[in-house]
Amino acid sequence: MTKAATASDTKYLFKRHETWWVKVAVPRTLRERLGYDLRRSLETHDLEQARQSRWAVVDEFRARIEQAQEERSDSPARHVSKPVDIDAAEFEKQSGTRLIHEHIVEVVSDSGEGAQKCGQILGLVSGKMGNGVWTVEIIPAEIQPPARERQGASGIRVRMGAKYVTNMGDEADMVVAFNEQVLYSRIMNGAYKKGTVVLLESMWSEDPEDRIRKQYAEALADFREQGLIVHELPIQKECLKIVKDPRKGKNMFVLGMLCRIYHRDIDKAKGEIAKTFRRKSEKVISTNHELFDAGYRFAAENLDYEFEIHSAEEDRLESAIVVNGNTAAGLGVMAAGIDLVAMYPITPATSASHYLADDFHLTGGFVHQAEDEIAAIGFAIGASYAGKTACTITSGPGMALKTEMIGLAVMAEVPLVIIDVQRGGPSTGLPTKVEQGDLLSCLYGMPGDSPKVVLAASTISECFHFVILARKLAESFRTPVIMLTDANLATGVQPIERPAVTEEWFAPPVDQSAWDKEVSPYDWDETTGLSDRPIPGMRGGEYILTGLAHNRDSKIAYDTASNQEGMDMRSRKLAALAETMRPPEIHGDPAGDLLLVSWGSTVGAIEEAVDLARAEGRQVSSLHLRFLSPLEPGLKEIFSGFKKVLTIELNYSDDPDAPLINAETRRYSQLALVLRAHTLMDVDCWSVVPGHPLSPRTIGEVIDARIDRIEGAEACSA
Amino acid sequence: MFGLKGDWSLDVKDRYFTLEDYCGAEPRWCTGCGDHGILAAVHRVCRDAQVKPEMTVAVSGIGCSSRLPHYMNTYGFHGLHGRALPVACGIKSRRPDLDVWVATGDGDCFSIGCAHWIHAMRYNMDLTMLVFDNGIYGLTKKQTSPTTPLDVPTNTHPSGALLPPLNPLTVTLGVTNISFVAQIVDWNAPLRHEVIRMAHEHKGTSFVRIIQRCPVYVEAIGKALQDEPARMKLLTHENGVELDDSVKRMFPNNAEHDPSDLAAARALAEDDTALPLGILYHNTDAPRYDQMSSAGLDMSVDEKLSGLNKALDQFAI
Ligand SMILES: Cc1ncc(C[n+]2csc(CCOP(=O)(O)OP(=O)(O)O)c2C)c(N)n1
Ligand code: SF4
Ligand SMILES: [Mg+2]
């Protein structure tokens, strides 16, 4: 390892709040004990100073890792937690509570058994206890798929950590399964590892049907064969002591178990249960509390897993709210001073409107459920034309229906916020699953030239703040603004910094005093394309908005000059916006072997993978784009600092090694296509459509594989 | 109201509006087109009601008839084919102070905009909705519309429309929560004015189907009725239209019809021997969605701020 620093050398370093920190990745086998990485602040803002002082810390961290490795090889290979029934003696040694850095827990069940609610509450409680949390829902497309189906798994993953968590992580440490079949779909998704602890409902072993008993026995053997540590638990039986039909209620029993295992705050958990059932009777709440208590006791008496997750001081939020991306977007709508949301139900966007339906009245807003998506956006456009701030929320198929209206909003320059919570496409596609497949259709999906602003939120916090930004841009630039999020953000729950509310957000869109009759309704500024708009009610501003080609007076104009001018002016607004933007910030060194470029919800997993690879000596950095139209400036220059530029996306591209695929036939992923056109550089892509978020592990593998192919690239040092 | 100048309500009667104040660009419809007369009626009704041009919005889709906003000197929204109603409803939803008109055609409303038609009727927002039904697609040059009569040749069905025409009245009268359904012919000025006036006065969605002549493409449709007034039936009532005897005499077929009687209205609409003219149905008590959707407009910025904080509190750790 060379200790010479090049101009851009930030090896082992990262910056947080202007201060430089050292970070050394922990080998995978030791993460259970030491966490993902070891880090310490160097307490300096100066990069040069940080470069010098880092080595002492790096050496110390390495020593700790080595020591841990030795200790580990002293004892027989240990899994996450050794179950008592497998090795009683070993357990004795480590009984009592273990302090852990993070754990990934899953609850999987048939649909309708409430696994999600259980995990959501676990996540909420953990967030409230100051832990970093990320939860993702595992959702089947049908409301009630047949029971015990491998494809029908419904559930949730909760990643709880000492530090701020930005993604769903790699394999789970602990899973509670309501039946054995649903575990298979998760196994196929690579959700578990050797040593993952499975707490499995045991009622199936006594099922009256031979077939089911047999399936159960086979699966059990199969799981153990695969290295899962399975404990059979009589959850149903225990719940029957309290309720007649444990299908409703088992989840709260399991929540009790998990709260005991992870030392979660009982009062907070019970408070959340009460909130969940607030529209039901007192009786329902008390029964669920009873189930929770029973689960808690059951775990205390029968399970020997006990963990404590402390919360990291440096990542602790000043004051936090715990929300999913759709609720964040709903709150963002309220905070943006938006007045009307018009929508038509579509997964995974709808829950944003569900939230608004509950609370929008608090800021004087109204949710209109329209007869279809076209009507929804038409309604929003009407309200906006009339001087109100409006928004429409949908997902891919709804976007497809809205295209003509978006074109109208572009043509007639009607400000509008459009939120597209992306799901898998094309057609009805994967309604509940994540994909980043709408970028090109948002950019180019309307007839004719249709320049508009397109942004993509990449975190749950951005789901909130970008609505406010979108509203501002929509009004300042007199244009529709599309804000992209996705199914991963929509259902991911996380504690985020509580936004500091300001009065400014509620400013009315325009001052509605009289309009100077001499000023045209499209009084375009030649340089920026910008103009003010009259609003019905303004005396002197009367004009007829039209979707036909028009001149500055909004008069239908088919002549060449008017058409050219209108097109120019609408397009120029994007250039004017780009003019105000700064180049995006690079995560990692500004030069190196490989640059990953991404957008949307993948940022957390990508940056985690990049940090790890960098800590292992890889010359890799990442760049995350928030603006897709116009693009942030300076991309060409940034790209030129790397030997290879690769987009990482959750949308389709041809695998270069697939049959018939060559340089001419290969179809690139969506951002790659845009960037290739934008920079005229050979931007490559790695993109997949797995229907679930990317894990840091997967991205890490891509980094390794790609760098190994780059000639002259720095080899891995760890 | 939030975002609007508070003193508008004090701005009374210091202005008197003449017909010219409502006239926009010179209409470009064909000579003899029924649209001219309808436009004249709209101008007159606005003048008589002394609505402020800046508080009036004419919304339309696409078609010959949807050019109407350009011929008004008010605000206007000439949007997409079939989509006038969602836009109009959106305007009204948060600006109940505006006087909103909708101009739409038989293709615009009954075909491509069919879903919006049904649902807008049910929303019953305060809109004055005029359907210019010429039984043909005019702007795109003579294609079959849902109301083209059987056997009338068009460019898409040169040997005549294949299916019996849709009856917009029975459809409309079948929608829950309708509040005003009327039918007129463009060429009878007193009836035309009276019905459009009442439609405008009505609080709720007033659906007025106007049999409109398109002499260029389907002259026969209008002519058949003009030549044979017995094929129409004039409905009068003290709660409906009341017309001079001179007008009544133009219609040999005359009947008293109480517009509050929905069953009778449906029966009249279904009777294909005589086209009912006048007000078929009128109900002033139907719930209005614009009154619901405008909730919260009077909130102050301070109230909103504390509302937002309250919302955030629920998720606070
Ligand atoms: C999405 C879309 N489809 C088709 C058209 C073409 N188009 C314009 S007007 C029209 C029909 C107009 O007929 P109608 O609504 O009866 O109005 P009229 O011209 O007869 O008054 C059609 C098909 C369009 N503008 N947009
Ligand atoms: S084509 Fe027919 S409907 Fe269109 S303007 Fe001419 S006469 Fe009127
Ligand atoms: Mg027509």
Side-chain angles (χ1 to χ4, degrees):
Chain A
M1 182 182 59
T2 157
K3 294 193 178 184
T6 63
S8 59
D9 169 24
T10 56
K11 224 175 221 174
Y12 300 109
L13 295 176
F14 72 100
K15 205 156 63 169
R16 168 158 272 130
H17 308 309
E18 299 301 310
T19 302
W20 288 99
W21 286 60
V22 168
K23 176 158 70 178
V24 173
V26 171
R28 298 189 210 285
T29 47
L30 292 176
R31 283 194 199 151
E32 187 47 42
R33 294 184 60 192
L34 299 179
Y36 258 68
D37 51 59
L38 300 172
R39 46 171 97 178
R40 182 179 303 159
S41 167
L42 293 170
E43 284 165 17
T44 174
H45 295 220
D46 182 51
L47 178 57
E48 210 31 64
Q49 213 174 336
R51 281 180 180 146
Q52 305 202 346
S53 52
R54 72 184 140 176
W55 297 114
V57 183
V58 170
D59 289 345
E60 182 198 321
F61 284 173
R62 293 224 149 145
R64 255 170 75 186
I65 290 170
E66 263 165 46
Q67 193 191 343
Q69 237 145 5
E70 273 163 29
E71 283 170 14
R72 189 169 171 274
S73 49
D74 285 348
S75 63
R78 295 191 329 205
H79 289 308
V80 175
S81 334
K82 211 67 174 170
V84 64
D85 54 344
I86 291 190
D87 188 343
E90 174 65 21
F91 178 76
E92 285 299 290
K93 269 195 270 169
Q94 33 167 310
S95 73
T97 307
R98 290 182 52 195
L99 205 59
I100 52 174
H101 291 271
E102 72 155 53
H103 247 205
I104 297 173
V105 182
E106 287 195 357
V107 184
V108 284
S109 68
D110 278 338
S111 184
E113 294 186 307
Q116 281 145 11
K117 195 80 258 167
C118 167
Q120 280 159 3
I121 297 181
L122 180 66
L124 269 172
V125 171
S126 301
K128 292 193 172 185
M129 291 173 68
N131 287 132
V133 178
W134 186 277
T135 66
V136 262
E137 289 176 8
I138 303 153
I139 313 170
E142 297 88 8
I143 303 294
Q144 286 180 341
R148 296 172 48 76
E149 261 221 347
R150 293 186 180 190
Q151 292 305 325
S154 168
I156 192 160
R157 160 177 283 220
V158 186
R159 185 181 181 192
M160 309 173 280
K163 297 183 181 135
Y164 190 65
V165 175
T166 62
N167 65 87
M168 66 159 194
D170 297 319
E171 295 93 348
D173 300 288
M174 168 92 52
V175 46
V176 184
F178 289 24
N179 70 61
E180 77 294 345
Q181 294 301 312
V182 291
L183 274 182
Y184 274 110
S185 76
R186 300 298 300 147
I187 289 173
M188 278 184 279
N189 273 333
Y192 311 131
K193 60 187 170 193
K194 277 194 172 42
T196 297
V197 172
V198 178
L199 306 180
L200 179 62
E201 165 67 77
S202 64
M203 63 187 262
W204 311 105
S205 68
E206 294 163 10
D207 197 272
E209 270 189 64
D210 282 348
R211 187 180 54 89
I212 290 181
R213 289 201 305 276
K214 195 157 155 263
Q215 275 182 348
Y216 179 82
E218 280 170 8
L220 201 67
D222 193 12
F223 297 156
R224 289 194 166 132
E225 174 88 353
Q226 294 187 32
L228 302 180
I229 298 169
V230 187
H231 299 281
E232 299 174 80
L233 306 181
I235 300 174
Q236 174 91 358
K237 224 180 255 172
E238 291 296 320
C239 292
L240 276 171
K241 294 176 186 165
I242 300 165
V243 285
K244 275 210 215 69
D245 177 15
R247 252 184 82 82
K248 298 241 151 27
K250 217 182 231 192
N251 59 340
M252 292 299 130
F253 182 89
V254 170
L255 178 63
M257 279 169 38
L258 291 171
C259 283
R260 162 70 193 184
I261 294 174
Y262 290 101
H263 283 206
R264 305 289 84 178
D265 188 307
I266 298 177
D267 290 340
K268 287 196 167 78
K270 285 195 168 172
E272 289 303 324
I273 293 174
K275 207 159 128 198
T276 300
F277 297 107
R278 66 185 181 279
R279 295 202 183 119
K280 303 263 169 69
S281 66
E282 278 300 317
K283 176 89 184 72
V284 173
I285 295 174
S286 68
T287 306
N288 280 289
H289 280 163
E290 213 181 312
L291 284 158
F292 174 89
D293 289 335
Y296 197 93
R297 262 194 324 272
F298 178 83
E301 287 160 14
N302 298 288
L303 292 173
D304 294 295
Y305 297 107
E306 269 189 72
F307 303 103
E308 186 102 46
I309 310 168
H310 60 180
S311 65
E313 286 315 312
E314 86 255 17
D315 282 2
R316 229 187 163 125
L317 301 168
E318 286 276 304
S319 86
I321 54 168
V322 180
V323 283
N324 69 26
N326 271 359
T327 306
L331 285 163
V333 163
M334 291 164 71
I338 286 172
D339 198 90
L340 174 92
V341 164
M343 52 74 71
Y344 184 80
I346 184 167
T347 308
T350 317
S351 66
S353 306
H354 289 179
Y355 169 63
L356 283 167
D358 276 342
D359 277 0
F360 207 5
H361 65 277
L362 292 173
T363 53
F366 183 76
V367 178
H368 170 59
Q369 177 178 333
E371 58 270 26
D372 59 36
E373 280 91 347
I374 302 173
I377 185 171
F379 201 96
I381 287 175
S384 173
Y385 164 79
K388 295 295 168 173
T389 43
C391 168
T392 185
I393 306 182
T394 189
S395 186
M399 286 300 281
L401 286 180
K402 290 178 200 286
T403 49
E404 195 190 8
M405 277 285 180
I406 297 175
L408 171 65
V410 169
M411 181 60 139
E413 305 189 47
V414 181
L416 184 66
V417 176
I418 302 159
I419 302 179
D420 174 7
V421 186
Q422 297 168 96
R423 66 191 221 180
S427 188
T428 311
L430 298 172
T432 59
K433 315 226 159 168
V434 62
E435 196 179 298
Q436 301 179 311
D438 295 353
L439 174 57
L440 291 180
S441 58
C442 284
L443 291 173
Y444 306 119
M446 294 83 217
D449 186 48
S450 143
K452 68 192 84 64
V453 177
V454 180
L455 357 141
S458 44
T459 62
I460 288 171
S461 174
E462 283 175 6
C463 287
F464 176 87
H465 288 284
F466 276 21
V467 188
I468 300 166
L469 175 63
R471 180 208 152 171
K472 247 191 210 158
L473 292 172
E475 264 154 30
S476 313
F477 290 86
R478 199 176 175 179
T479 178
V481 175
I482 298 177
M483 169 178 148
L484 290 159
T485 75
D486 63 36
N488 182 27
L489 291 170
T491 56
V493 177
Q494 205 194 18
I496 60 169
E497 194 78 55
R498 180 181 174 136
V501 170
T502 109
E503 199 167 307
E504 225 176 88
W505 292 344
F506 292 104
V510 268
D511 163 26
Q512 296 185 338
S513 32
W515 182 268
D516 178 355
K517 248 182 157 22
E518 300 307 307
V519 177
S520 298
Y522 296 97
D523 187 31
W524 293 310
D525 176 302
E526 288 288 341
T527 357
T528 60
L530 299 177
S531 56
D532 289 334
R533 61 185 182 124
I535 299 292
M538 286 181 170
R539 191 169 161 185
E542 295 87 348
Y543 77 108
I544 310 303
L545 176 148
T546 178
L548 285 158
H550 50 267
N551 60 21
R552 288 170 175 255
D553 292 329
S554 199
K555 297 277 185 261
I556 298 173
Y558 300 133
D559 66 285
T560 310
S562 299
N563 194 46
Q564 185 71 44
E565 185 185 33
M567 294 278 206
D568 285 342
M569 292 300 104
R570 291 189 294 273
S571 181
R572 198 148 304 160
K573 293 189 290 184
L574 287 192
L577 170 56
E579 189 71 19
T580 67
M581 303 197 301
R582 274 179 307 186
E585 219 172 279
I586 305 168
H587 182 81
D589 284 354
D593 293 327
L594 178 65
L595 178 71
L596 303 183
V597 187
S598 53
W599 63 284
S601 70
T602 51
V603 68
I606 291 175
E607 291 187 352
E608 191 169 315
V610 165
D611 287 349
L612 255 169
R614 288 173 57 75
E616 290 173 355
R618 297 294 201 184
Q619 297 278 3
V620 58
S621 301
S622 60
L623 187 73
H624 200 75
L625 303 182
R626 263 90 180 170
F627 275 83
L628 285 324
S629 169
L631 285 162
E632 289 147 272
L635 298 184
K636 216 169 157 162
E637 197 181 323
I638 293 173
F639 292 0
S640 59
F642 294 83
K643 296 201 177 85
K644 186 165 187 72
V645 178
L646 180 75
T647 69
I648 301 280
E649 297 178 69
L650 276 172
N651 53 39
Y652 184 79
S653 64
D654 287 326
D655 180 341
D657 300 325
L660 302 182
I661 300 305
N662 56 44
E664 281 191 346
T665 56
R666 184 174 182 212
R667 294 173 61 241
Y668 281 82
S669 64
Q670 302 198 5
L671 178 62
L673 198 68
V674 172
L675 293 177
R676 288 171 73 87
H678 181 74
T679 62
L680 291 182
M681 292 168 90
D682 190 12
V683 175
D684 198 354
C685 62
W686 181 87
S687 76
V688 285
V689 283
H692 58 71
L694 293 172
S695 69
R697 154 105 21 114
T698 309
I699 297 160
E701 284 160 7
V702 174
I703 294 172
D704 290 346
R706 291 296 164 133
I707 288 193
D708 288 342
R709 272 195 249 159
I710 301 172
E711 225 174 286
E714 185 120 340
C716 182
S717 67
Chain B
M1 189 207 310
F2 176 60
L4 298 180
K5 259 177 67 180
D7 61 356
W8 275 347
S9 51
L10 306 175
D11 186 15
V12 277
K13 297 285 173 222
D14 58 341
R15 294 151 77 199
Y16 179 79
F17 304 106
T18 63
L19 275 180
E20 280 67 50
D21 289 315
Y22 300 100
C23 293
E26 191 64 32
R28 296 168 67 119
W29 291 307
C30 307
T31 331
C33 176
D35 294 356
H36 293 286
I38 304 168
L39 175 68
V42 172
H43 287 158
R44 270 193 57 198
V45 167
C46 287
R47 194 268 324 263
D48 292 352
Q50 285 293 298
V51 294
K52 295 192 184 91
E54 73 270 18
M55 295 300 284
T56 304
V57 188
V59 184
S60 67
I62 297 289
C64 293
S65 39
S66 288
R67 285 297 182 103
L68 179 132
H70 292 280
Y71 312 139
M72 303 281 293
N73 193 27
T74 60
Y75 279 92
F77 193 113
H78 178 208
L80 296 181
H81 188 33
R83 317 299 173 195
L85 283 167
V87 171
C89 289
I91 293 170
K92 193 73 189 174
S93 72
R94 300 299 284 179
R95 286 294 304 275
D97 54 329
L98 296 173
D99 189 21
V100 182
W101 293 75
V102 177
T104 175
D106 43 326
D108 203 61
C109 183
F110 306 144
S111 192
I112 191 170
C114 184
H116 311 315
W117 161 36
I118 305 293
H119 290 277
M121 293 315 301
R122 190 169 150 250
Y123 298 149
N124 192 33
M125 299 173 105
D126 187 15
L127 309 172
T128 310
M129 174 181 172
L130 309 178
V131 187
F132 296 55
D133 189 350
N134 52 6
I136 196 76
Y137 285 8
L139 189 70
T140 46
K141 303 192 190 325
K142 203 182 183 183
Q143 294 84 21
T144 314
S145 101
T147 54
T148 305
L150 258 183
D151 302 329
V152 171
T154 69
N155 284 327
T156 40
H157 297 103
S159 43
L162 301 177
L163 294 169
L166 177 108
N167 183 337
L169 291 184
T170 54
V171 175
T172 308
L173 287 164
V175 178
T176 314
N177 206 39
I178 42 161
S179 65
F180 188 103
V181 180
Q183 179 159 270
I184 53 176
V185 290
D186 77 65
W187 55 86
N188 188 303
L191 173 67
R192 190 180 69 194
H193 179 265
E194 201 42 27
V195 168
I196 295 179
R197 183 191 64 76
M198 287 185 71
H200 181 246
E201 228 163 58
H202 170 66
K203 296 284 169 220
T205 300
S206 5
F207 174 90
V208 184
R209 181 198 188 200
I210 308 174
I211 310 287
Q212 173 235 319
R213 289 163 303 164
C214 169
V216 176
Y217 293 128
V218 278
E219 192 177 19
I221 300 178
K223 242 187 153 54
L225 287 170
Q226 281 181 298
D227 290 352
E228 223 183 314
R231 288 182 48 200
M232 300 177 276
K233 182 189 273 178
L234 182 67
L235 310 175
T236 49
H237 193 268
E238 55 178 342
N239 299 325
V241 269
E242 291 186 286
L243 293 162
D244 289 351
D245 285 347
S246 63
V247 181
K248 286 187 188 167
R249 272 197 298 274
M250 297 176 195
F251 298 94
N253 214 341
N254 240 287
E256 276 276 301
H257 164 63
D258 178 356
S260 67
D261 186 344
L262 183 58
R266 286 178 177 158
L268 284 164
E270 249 167 31
D271 176 8
D272 51 18
T273 61
L275 198 71
L277 299 181
I279 296 178
L280 282 104
Y281 184 62
H282 191 191
N283 171 12
T284 48
D285 297 329
R288 271 171 53 195
Y289 191 61
D290 47 342
Q291 291 176 329
M292 310 166 197
S293 66
S294 52
L297 282 172
D298 49 358
M299 267 176 95
S300 69
V301 172
D302 277 346
E303 285 170 321
K304 292 182 184 197
L305 270 177
S306 77
L308 178 58
N309 271 316
K310 200 168 146 201
L312 289 167
D313 284 344
Q314 300 172 82
F315 303 101
I317 293 183

